Amino acid sequence: MKKQLYLILALVLFSVIACDDYVDITPRGNAIVTTLDEVNFLLNDAETIASNSRTSDIPSLISDNIELVDSKIALASSDPTLRSIASIYNLEPVFYDANLQDQGWQKHYEIIGLANYILETVETISTDDEALKNQYAAEAKVHRAYHYFTLVNTYAPHFGLPEANVDGSGVPLLTVFSDDSVPINKSSVNDIYDFVLQDLEEAIPFLTETVESNDRASRASALGLLAQVHFHMGNYTEAITNANDALAISAMLFDYNTDLVPAFFGGSFPPNLTDNTEVTLLKTGNVPSFRFTEAFADYSDELVALSDVDNDLRFSFNQFDESIGKYVLFTDFEYQLGVTTPKVLLIKAESLARTGSAGEAMDIVNLLRSKRFKASFVTAGNHLLTAANDAEAIQHVIDEARREFHVAGQRFYDIKRLNAIENAGISLTRGGVTFAPNSINWAVPIGQREIDRSNGQITQNPRE
Amino acid sequence: MKINLKKTNIFRDNWLIKTIMRTFIFLFCTVAFSLNPNSGFSQNRNIIIDNDKTISIEAIFNLIKNQTDYQFVYDAEMVSTAPLIKLNKGVIKSNTLLIKGLDTIGCTFEFASNTVVVRKKTIADYRNQDEFIITGKVKNKRDEALFGAAIVVSSGGFKETGEINPNFTVRGTQTDFDGSFQIKVAQGQKLSVSYVGYEYYEITIGSDQTEYEIILEDEINYLEEVVLTGYTKTEKENSTVASSKISKKDLSRQKAINLVDRLEGLSPGLNITSVTNQGGQRKLELILRGLSTFDNPTDESNGQRDSNNSINRQPLIVLDGFPYEGPFNDIDPQTIETIDILRDAAATTLWGVRASNGVLVITTKRGVKSNSKPTITYTSNTTIGTRQDLSGLQLANSAETIKVLNNTYAIRSDFNTSFNAINNTFRKAFRYAPLNSFETIWADFYNNVITDAERDSRLAALSNNNVLDDFEKYLISPGFIQEHSLSMRGGSEVSSYSFTATHVNEKKSDLGDDFRRLNLSLTTDFKLTEKLSAVADVSVTSSETNDNAIGVAELFSVNPIQIFDRLVDENGRPQAIRSTYGEFQDEFSALGFDDASYNPIADQKLRDNELKSFNLRLAAGLNYKITKSLTADIKYQFNRITDRTNNNKDVNLFEIRTNNNLFVGEEVDANGIATGNPGERLIPYGGVLENQVITRTNTVLRGSLSFNETFNKHNVSALAGMEVTENIFDLTRRQYFGYNDVTGISNVNFDPTLADERLFGGQQLRGFLGVFFPDGLKNSFQPEVVDRSISTFGNINYTYNNKYNLSLSGKIDQKTAFGINERLSKPILWAVGASWNLDKEDFFKVDWVNDLKLRASYGVNGNLRPDLTTKVTIEFSNNVDFINGQNSASFDNTGNPNLTFEETTTKNIGLDFGLFSRRIVGTLDVYDRQSVNLLVPFAINSTFGQAGTVLRNDGKISNRGIELNLNLDILKNTALKWNANFNISHNKNEVLAYSDNQFTDPSEIIRNVRTGFQEIVGTDISAQYRFKWAGLDIDGNPQVFNENGDIVGYQEATPTQDALVLTKPFIAPTFGGIRNTFEYKNFALSFLASFKFGHVFQESLDQKYGGVGATALHRDVANAWEFPGDEFVTDIPAIPRTQEEAQFGNFREQFFTQSDYNIQDAAFIRLRDITLGYNLDSNAVKKIGLEAVNFSVQARNLGLLWKANDVDLDPESVPFVTDSFNVTDNFNGAFRPGIQQPITFVFGVNLNF
């Protein structure tokens, strides 16, 4: 009896000492990533990756396509969470003070962080399915490329300007996830462009041509994005090649006569989210609004003057607010900021026009227009534009882009590009502040909070 | 068994012998047979003893046999143990000789024919002696009467075992409430008294004494005088720790059904604070010696992640030696013997990484190892509530409310239904929205159905209503609670048991809310051999909570009931308070929608939301005495708690009708106008059953060796052991659509995650109805989450000469927290303590000082957040991604490799004293707790790839305090007895470090009042910043002082942080309780008062402001600024006059609601209860077969004796009591006073059998 007891005691008391493994159990429900399935789940998190809500604030508000009435600016100023809208619109020296999160900056780096994490992690996964592993890594690279490209075009002088090759002119280039021991000094714009190109070129061979859901990166989206990068660098030949490759895979274009859908608050919108087959890489932004009632998305008079408001179906997206005399987007309208067929088509068109193929360029513009105007108008051929020369063709493409992307933010990047690459001389004045062509002001201020919390590593973009 | 048959020649084949043999054997199996030896042994012969001799029993049998013709039948083994009998020369009667011999071994004999049958004595054998009645009183050495002591009268018995030999018991009883007893005895019998915690007492009954005063000596393990830490048991005298004990008596004096309600005011250091009403109930938080972590409890109803995170702010609960993971209120107060509140590190070290916030050690009742008859106690308490006083809400009446709302509605023209154009603010959202009576009037007005005058007269008619009257009539009632408890305790010399069954039935004051709980608890102890003993305990708690009320919180919900609503029509029939605007009623129905009206009383009757909880606890242990001083112990516990929620939402419930309406499809044209094909259901039509099951399983295995030895003046007791723990958490949640509760049929094939893409695609009508996407549409399943730990611990206590005590303890914890590095997983937590019994020193001779002990301790405890991890982890979501409809995963924890556990170092110096013959007994403790490495959110630069904050061990908190506990026997040896207990604690909390890189803008800092986070370095953790109120300007707009002391309005430059003023803490630094008990004859009167000082509370915020969105208003809005000059007499700003002023969250609103104007001093003294008890006269009671009867009446929640605030509010009064209040309650941490708890009366009866 006694012996048995000692035995039990000894077992209970001392056997556990030997097994430290007891506490090292594989957790479920939440986990350290060890399989490709888990990586797939991370890439499926479209609510994080594809929905970019406030990233469109800066590009959509800083352009000659938008004009907010004074009462709306006052309304934004009065609300602590919206006062950045007024600051951005008024081109103030600080957009986001230390109390406000620069949500665009944060969102871009959040997805870059996720992509970095996937790229770090996928390396450690041992699998037989190398192709899938490479595909997931390639998808992460496309997302990373998109967000670096958007970041650098927003917060830095445009590629091609003399200051763009200076160290510190760009944005911080991080390739690891959430490690606050790595430096976050700003790289040069050229470095970022090189990095983006490299990511895309490395990714393209491993991507599938198309994907089921457009929040996931495909070869079509990577090629479209590559076309856009080259286009912004002024590499029109490459841009045409890549755009053709992208369009060869996916060239879906809605006919607004038949393909628009009614939306919650009235109006007709393109199908949103993953149903939008014009989109090959889903990145959405929102119309900034005050309590879902007052949208900060009023069309500028200049844009309206460029448009045929009666026949252009793109005007069914908005309403005419008589009280302010402006066309305004609905508050739940979603900006398509990613890679879309119209975007690739217009890149191709402008590149063609700039490389002496005005006719081809106009064909593309007219193709797009044929899907955007009332059927009767198109049948009568009234939608057709003609260009007498390359310059006219270029101007038609640029104007068409303004109409197609209205206040969704593309115009901001186009102004920076056209000034930097083509010396277009477009300036923007709001109140007493003017952003002269190629002024350093076009590299917009970074959120003060990020500056403050960088131990001096991130320097604020200077103002003129 | 060997049977000796002498002289068998005569009886060899006699049937009688066989019968006797059978009888004899039977007698050994039972003790029921009885014959009187005096009458049976008819032939009482003389036996000649030839000379003095000392012989054995068997020799006596032979002696008798030789001189008579008797035969003997006996068990040789039985008589072999008998002592030798000394016989003197002479003649002796054979009966006398046999009695003399057999008495020594507790035997007697029977005589049949010529055969003497020897057998064990039975009770009956003892009874026929000359009996008389004695009375007595049992006390302890502190002159306290002992109720329920077992009194046993026996003849013979073996005293060396300390227990009564069952075979010798004659009769027994037990003492009544004043410790007295009476019992029949005979001379020479033994009277013994046993009582848990005291030494066994025995006395032989003399011939003449009929009154006894028996004083029991304290037993070494006397629960009241030992310190229990869950691992160790130390005599208070030799203990080095700071702890206090709440006795059964103190606990049972309180008649509340929940344990936590019984604790207030009973222990120094323990602050019970009423916090926000998460989960819809009044929630009490226990804080021991101040908060020592920044970790904030989040809503526990959301499942694992949150419930795991929220446990390390309150003290650890230990139940019978094991950490208790279940709900505090599942513990049946009726089963509790004592609660030890461990306050310093020396006491809590063995609880390791969970002990930083102190430990409450709960010990339940166990049986008595004695052969007394079982003690059966029946307790019944009936609590009758009184009506809630809804005027405590301090709401504005209808007229005042309508005045404010009119102002708002005059600004907006939402109800002009004639506009249907999309560019108008009026959209379908308002067209089909259910309007209340007020909105209907305005809609009629804007649609030109009525004139200004008609509008005003209808509004005036509305002004006469007061919905609170209807609440009182139809939705609330006085609460009612019944508690029945039956307990049984008993045992034999080898085993004991204690069984308690308690049933509680509570009808809460909100109609539809009730609670039932059944507790069954059994503890058993077995002595298997002299060295091996075992315990086995089972307890089961089964409870059922119905949460179906519509409480006053609905006044603040999304579709609020409003003060001007009538819940019934003129005929008293329940009526709808909201319905679709009449003009659109037909159109609405034609589209296939369900009725959109809201009828609260009818709705309440349909609600069927039930939480069933089942809590099973099994514990077993073996204890083996290896040597006299070395003991091995194995303990095991299995605890499983299953919470099952079934919310059966009927198809006719307002919520479900609204929900079903959300998913009525319709064809719409390009302008969003319906064109036809109405009524298609996109989700299965019917009710919804929401089902959630949460299972928590906790298993602990602990092995330990303990050593206790005294060498001369040295005593050493030591403990070493290991412990293995496993916690498993499991959650499933599912909704069944198209559910019908009668048939039980639902559309099982419908999975909202795979549903019609139009649910997600934007074609449904949710936008038109103005209701947001229901979050609960998503099902979830949480795989089992397992958490394990292995701990090694050791403790040693050394006492020299009963004067000097030293203790040393340590623990190493390894926990599952994957990714946690080695240093973190094996923290060594240790403590050292010393005490000095000054009273035992020869040089210390002070007559009036009976006890004096000086204590000091130092030690380190930990606190580990369970989900802490140093690696990047992801969490999966089978809630389908809103965008792509896929399962997905996202970062759960982005990992910080430098994370470590929180650490608290406690220094404690204490004094225990007993003065004036222990009429004053008390303890005084001074402590200093420094908590470091506290987890604080650090706002990481988002450039690193993650948004928001990460956790870092950067926080520091200091808690310093003093605690005094006094027990005073003011009147002791008099007819009127008066005992008073007083305790007071003061804790100074100070935040020493907190990462403050988050907010610098005063409005941001103050905004965080609303989310509960505002930690300010250099001040109390619960103190907060506020704007400094400067009254109203000439336009009735609020003003505050800026950093320069200038008065500024909301349109001027925003004040900086320097302009803010600090409030006093929201958690009381000084608190305590006073209990007085008066006893006179059979009556006992006691009362408990509690008090808190030095803290503040916040009054209703936007309810006084009257901005847009306010639904129920504070009555002070009647004093709002109206005309110039009002600013001199009122502080209530003008009701917002423009859209800009009306906007919630602007500085106009913030200056008022977030200024120190709304901060009130919260100090109070509260009379918690008065209790009157009466013990029925014990003689009368015994005539009806009972041992003791006690009646009591307790009045509870008697309100405040004194308060510091002058706004007529009880700072701790209950916030609103339903779930939906949560929706608007963003004011975590800031207290929102509501209705005072109504007075309740408890009628109790206690019967002892």
Side-chain angles (χ1 to χ4, degrees), chain A residues 136-260:
Chain A
Y136 290 162
E139 285 187 43
K141 281 181 181 169
V142 175
H143 289 300
R144 186 165 72 175
Y146 169 81
H147 289 283
Y148 271 126
F149 180 61
T150 312
L151 267 170
V152 77
N153 285 346
T154 310
Y155 294 95
H158 200 270
F159 180 87
L161 292 175
E163 61 266 35
N165 204 18
V166 177
D167 219 29
S169 61
V171 292
L173 182 59
L174 281 87
T175 53
V176 291
F177 170 63
S178 190
D179 178 357
D180 60 2
S181 64
V182 302
I184 46 174
N185 295 333
K186 294 197 283 190
S187 301
S188 74
V189 173
N190 288 10
D191 286 347
I192 303 285
Y193 264 80
D194 288 347
F195 187 78
V196 168
L197 287 173
Q198 184 191 332
D199 258 357
L200 289 174
E201 278 156 9
E202 283 174 6
I204 286 167
F206 297 106
L207 292 165
T208 54
E209 284 213 330
T210 54
V211 280
E212 286 218 346
S213 167
N214 58 16
D215 57 291
R216 298 285 293 260
S218 63
R219 193 175 298 167
S221 57
L223 287 164
L225 184 57
L226 189 58
Q228 199 180 352
V229 178
H230 280 300
F231 180 56
H232 272 258
M233 297 167 81
N235 303 336
Y236 300 116
T237 322
E238 285 90 338
I240 293 166
T241 315
N242 290 317
N244 282 334
D245 291 349
L247 292 168
I249 300 169
S250 174
M252 175 65 198
L253 206 53
F254 289 139
D255 183 339
Y256 281 6
N257 286 289
T258 52
D259 296 337
L260 291 185

Side-chain angles (χ1 to χ4, degrees), chain B residues 1148-1179:
Chain B
R1148 187 181 191 273
E1149 182 261 344
Q1150 285 185 19
F1151 275 5
F1152 177 68
T1153 60
Q1154 295 169 29
S1155 71
D1156 59 353
Y1157 168 72
N1158 287 297
I1159 301 294
Q1160 301 288 346
D1161 191 332
F1164 67 84
I1165 303 173
R1166 178 188 309 282
L1167 183 57
R1168 186 139 288 284
D1169 63 66
I1170 297 181
T1171 308
L1172 180 66
Y1174 174 70
N1175 291 324
L1176 223 58
D1177 183 64
S1178 58
N1179 286 325

Side-chain angles (χ1 to χ4, degrees), chain B residues 1065-1111:
Chain B
F1066 276 74
I1067 297 172
T1070 308
F1071 56 92
I1074 307 162
R1075 193 199 60 227
N1076 275 282
T1077 310
F1078 302 92
E1079 283 177 55
Y1080 182 74
K1081 294 195 169 160
N1082 290 339
F1083 289 94
L1085 177 72
S1086 61
F1087 65 84
L1088 177 70
S1090 60
F1091 54 84
K1092 291 185 182 182
F1093 296 107
H1095 62 312
V1096 292
F1097 70 98
Q1098 179 164 310
E1099 265 198 281
S1100 306
L1101 297 165
D1102 35 339
Q1103 273 69 45
K1104 282 188 181 185
Y1105 182 69
V1108 171
T1111 54

Side-chain angles (χ1 to χ4, degrees), chain B residues 271 273 287 291 293-294 313 957 987 989-991 1012 1014-1016 1019-1026 1062-1069 1094-1097 1159 1229-1231:
Chain B
N271 191 355
T273 307
I287 300 172
L291 283 178
T293 178
F294 292 107
R313 177 163 151 148
I957 297 179
N987 179 68
N989 178 291
E990 190 181 351
V991 177
Q1014 220 195 39
E1015 322 292 7
I1016 303 153
T1019 183
D1020 190 286
I1021 187 169
S1022 65
Q1024 296 186 341
Y1025 275 128
R1026 288 293 187 276
L1062 262 180
T1063 68
K1064 286 204 268 182
F1066 276 74
I1067 297 172
H1095 62 312
V1096 292
F1097 70 98
I1159 301 294
F1231 302 88

Side-chain angles (χ1 to χ4, degrees), chain B residues 969-982:
Chain B
D969 276 315
I970 298 165
L971 295 175
K972 198 174 179 186
N973 298 316
T974 52
L976 174 69
K977 294 192 180 63
W978 179 12
N979 171 272
N981 185 287
F982 171 78

